[in-house]
Amino acid sequence: MSYADTASGRLPEELDTFFEKAAVALILVNKKGRILEVNRKGLEMLGKSKSEVINLLGGEAFECINASVDGKLVGGTSNYCSECVIGNSLSSTLRTKEEIYQREGHLDIVSNGVTYHLSLMVSTGLITVNNEECVLLTINDITNRKKLEKELKKSEERLKKAQGIGQIGHWELDIVHNKLTWSDEIYRIFDVEPQSFEATYEAFLANVHPEDRELVDTSYKKSLIEKKSYEIEHRLLLKSGMIKYVLEKCHTEYDEAGKPLLSIGTVNDITELKEKEMLLEEAIATKNKFFSIIAHDLKSPFNGLLGLLDLLLGHHSSYDNEEREEIISAIHKSAHGVYDLLENLLTWSLSQSDKIKLLKENICLNSILLDVVDILHKHADEKNIQIAHNISENYLILADVNMVTSILRNLISNAIKFTERGGSISITAEEQNDFIKISVRDTGIGISAERMGNLFKIGTNTSILGTQNEKGTGLGLVLCNDFVQQHGGKIWVESQLGEGSTFCFTLPLVQSSIQ
């Protein structure tokens, strides 16, 4: 080489060898941007021989697409050079005398008529050659690496999207350092922000539902001892109070001595699936209850009714008028019971199949109540039960008249059924914001705490006999609950054994003008 440093006039032999055999492109450029020397790797990048590039401007040698303005090659003097990582780094080092280390950028070149977009890593160093200050460019082609990084990023984005769709995330636990790593989807499932989460196993356990925490911890530690993968369903208790169901799978890697090193696993949000399972279980229980009612509660009163009719038909001449009247009265009462049962069954069946449409209108609550009480008065009189009601005629509710009638009829009928002779029932109403609260209070036998939790659920609610062995269907309160919920209201009960019960429900109020 004919280039020399200021000390000896020549490049040291070891530097000359390094220059030529370096694994990256090395290009020596003078102040005017012309190439003085280039190594083998640089020639491979340029796709030219040394004689073809010496004394060329950088833009000419690289055939940069921005090196030509109006058909004239200008190399490193184009306005676009400030955007080029090579041209910008070169001019910056010559101007500031500051070297640059591994600056990333791009360069668009033309080769055989095809434009290529190169990603480059450029470093610069100042060097004096023949008493002239020059710049040594170190250029590393990172185009393939950038492509791989871009593909990896796309793959990660696709994975993140797929995990979001499938509601499944992945995690890693460095057991040695107790460092936990979560994917974005797990943070979403747990509803926590990465910056607020202490990434440890203990922090994970803190998000598990308290009732499931010991089970999860024991299962994981057992899998480490037995060196087996494990799968477990458990609940999460979020900071918002929401409960989620998740399916977790885990596999652990061990060193040669059998010491656990790394656990990897997945968390799948199965809350929606569990809710559907619970709805399915409820539907199965509902179907079973329905058939149970048909098989038992409907068959039994018919057997009694047919028995009385057979008795009257076969032996009517042997009974006097008073005895015949008693049998006919029993038949009449049994027939009414069967009719009430059929009516409830039909109403409930239509409700479950959405055949009953909610038709809201402005109706007078007091008017509906008077009609229901008038119908049920005979049953109350038979047990000497007093029914008191004091509801303003001016209460207007926005409701379906048939549904409200059914609610009141069922609640008052139950109050009569479970109240001893000589007892009383009171029906009151009061405003609560945009709703009206209706209360049906009795002095009856009351309800145990165990039964109160299942009163409004079909499949778990078991009908019991009234104070005079009156039978029920177990469907009345279920219907009440369905109809109240369709109006956007609530229904509940307050009761103690031996001290009576109060059933309350709310309905949307139109207006009130209590005198």
Side-chain angles (χ1 to χ4, degrees), residues 6-180:
T6 54
S8 62
R10 291 185 58 82
L11 284 172
E13 184 177 347
E14 61 271 18
L15 181 59
D16 193 8
T17 302
F18 168 79
F19 185 91
E20 186 62 28
K21 295 184 177 180
V24 294
L26 296 176
I27 301 176
L28 188 64
V29 182
N30 64 16
K31 284 184 178 182
K32 296 180 181 179
R34 296 196 175 274
I35 297 175
L36 301 179
E37 184 61 274
V38 57
N39 71 348
R40 183 171 55 191
K41 193 69 175 178
L43 293 173
E44 289 177 7
M45 180 181 292
L46 293 169
K48 296 179 174 64
S49 65
K50 185 174 291 189
S51 61
E52 291 177 307
V53 299
I54 296 300
N55 210 35
L56 289 182
L57 295 171
E60 294 177 285
F62 277 98
E63 297 187 55
C64 173
I65 62 172
N66 295 317
S68 175
V69 177
D70 297 329
K72 182 180 178 182
L73 287 175
V74 295
T77 63
S78 167
N79 292 331
Y80 294 101
C81 292
S82 60
E83 299 176 11
C84 167
V85 66
I86 296 178
N88 181 272
S89 299
L90 175 63
S91 61
S92 176
T93 297
L94 287 171
R95 184 178 68 256
T96 64
K97 311 302 180 185
E98 293 181 359
E99 297 180 344
I100 293 170
Y101 179 70
Q102 292 191 342
R103 175 184 288 175
E104 284 192 23
H106 66 273
L107 177 68
D108 294 326
I109 67 171
V110 177
S111 178
N112 297 322
V114 180
T115 301
Y116 296 92
H117 183 80
L118 300 181
S119 294
L120 305 174
M121 182 87 76
V122 176
S123 299
T124 62
L126 287 169
I127 185 172
T128 302
V129 178
N130 292 337
N131 296 319
E132 180 183 6
E133 192 173 56
C134 301
V135 175
L136 179 64
L137 291 167
T138 303
I139 305 173
N140 192 3
D141 186 352
I142 58 172
T143 305
N144 289 334
R145 192 190 85 185
K146 282 296 181 180
K147 286 181 180 178
L148 289 174
E149 287 177 357
K150 189 175 181 180
E151 288 301 317
L152 178 61
K153 186 176 180 180
K154 282 184 180 180
S155 178
E156 288 175 346
E157 288 174 353
R158 292 190 191 105
L159 176 61
K160 188 184 297 183
K161 193 170 185 179
Q163 288 187 349
I165 294 171
Q167 296 181 309
I168 184 170
H170 66 274
W171 56 268
E172 291 185 4
L173 176 62
D174 181 345
I175 300 173
V176 177
H177 301 96
N178 192 25
K179 183 178 179 182
L180 183 63

Side-chain angles (χ1 to χ4, degrees), residues 61-327:
F62 277 98
E63 297 187 55
C64 173
I65 62 172
N66 295 317
S68 175
V69 177
D70 297 329
K72 182 180 178 182
L73 287 175
V74 295
T77 63
S78 167
N79 292 331
Y80 294 101
C81 292
S82 60
E83 299 176 11
C84 167
V85 66
I86 296 178
N88 181 272
S89 299
L90 175 63
S91 61
S92 176
T93 297
L94 287 171
R95 184 178 68 256
T96 64
K97 311 302 180 185
E98 293 181 359
E99 297 180 344
I100 293 170
Y101 179 70
Q102 292 191 342
R103 175 184 288 175
E104 284 192 23
H106 66 273
L107 177 68
D108 294 326
I109 67 171
V110 177
S111 178
N112 297 322
V114 180
T115 301
Y116 296 92
H117 183 80
L118 300 181
S119 294
L120 305 174
M121 182 87 76
V122 176
S123 299
T124 62
L126 287 169
I127 185 172
T128 302
V129 178
N130 292 337
N131 296 319
E132 180 183 6
E133 192 173 56
C134 301
V135 175
L136 179 64
L137 291 167
T138 303
I139 305 173
N140 192 3
D141 186 352
I142 58 172
T143 305
N144 289 334
R145 192 190 85 185
K146 282 296 181 180
K147 286 181 180 178
L148 289 174
E149 287 177 357
K150 189 175 181 180
E151 288 301 317
L152 178 61
K153 186 176 180 180
K154 282 184 180 180
S155 178
E156 288 175 346
E157 288 174 353
R158 292 190 191 105
L159 176 61
K160 188 184 297 183
K161 193 170 185 179
Q163 288 187 349
I165 294 171
Q167 296 181 309
I168 184 170
H170 66 274
W171 56 268
E172 291 185 4
L173 176 62
D174 181 345
I175 300 173
V176 177
H177 301 96
N178 192 25
K179 183 178 179 182
L180 183 63
T181 304
W182 278 358
S183 68
D184 290 347
E185 183 60 18
I186 296 187
Y187 282 107
R188 190 203 64 77
I189 292 173
F190 279 66
D191 195 24
V192 296
E193 296 295 332
Q195 60 270 21
S196 65
F197 178 70
E198 183 185 1
T200 63
Y201 176 70
E202 290 75 20
F204 152 71
L205 276 181
N207 286 274
V208 175
H209 195 287
E211 295 176 5
D212 296 348
R213 203 167 289 160
E214 184 178 354
L215 173 65
V216 172
D217 187 39
T218 302
S219 299
Y220 175 63
K221 289 177 178 177
K222 183 180 178 182
S223 75
L224 295 181
I225 295 172
E226 296 180 349
K227 295 182 173 59
K228 292 181 179 179
S229 299
Y230 87 100
E231 179 177 321
I232 188 172
E233 280 188 19
H234 65 84
R235 293 168 294 173
L236 303 176
L237 181 59
L238 308 185
K239 290 182 179 179
S240 64
M242 179 183 178
I243 294 176
K244 285 187 176 181
Y245 292 83
V246 296
L247 173 64
E248 258 195 275
K249 296 182 180 182
C250 171
H251 170 75
T252 301
E253 297 176 357
Y254 302 82
D255 63 12
E256 293 180 357
K259 182 181 178 180
L261 299 176
L262 179 71
S263 290
I264 56 176
T266 59
V267 178
N268 190 5
D269 185 351
I270 58 172
T271 305
E272 187 177 348
L273 178 62
K274 293 297 290 187
E275 288 174 349
K276 288 180 179 178
E277 284 182 2
M278 288 186 282
L279 286 175
L280 179 59
E281 289 173 0
E282 185 178 345
I284 293 172
T286 298
K287 180 201 70 174
N288 292 339
K289 178 66 176 178
F290 185 75
F291 285 122
S292 173
I293 291 170
I294 293 175
H296 180 267
D297 292 3
L298 193 58
K299 182 179 179 181
S300 180
F302 262 114
N303 285 336
L305 185 60
L306 291 171
L308 289 170
L309 286 171
D310 288 341
L311 190 65
L312 185 61
L313 183 63
H315 306 282
H316 68 279
S317 58
S318 62
Y319 298 121
D320 57 29
N321 289 336
E322 186 177 348
E323 289 173 328
R324 278 194 289 268
E325 188 174 333
E326 287 180 3
I327 295 174

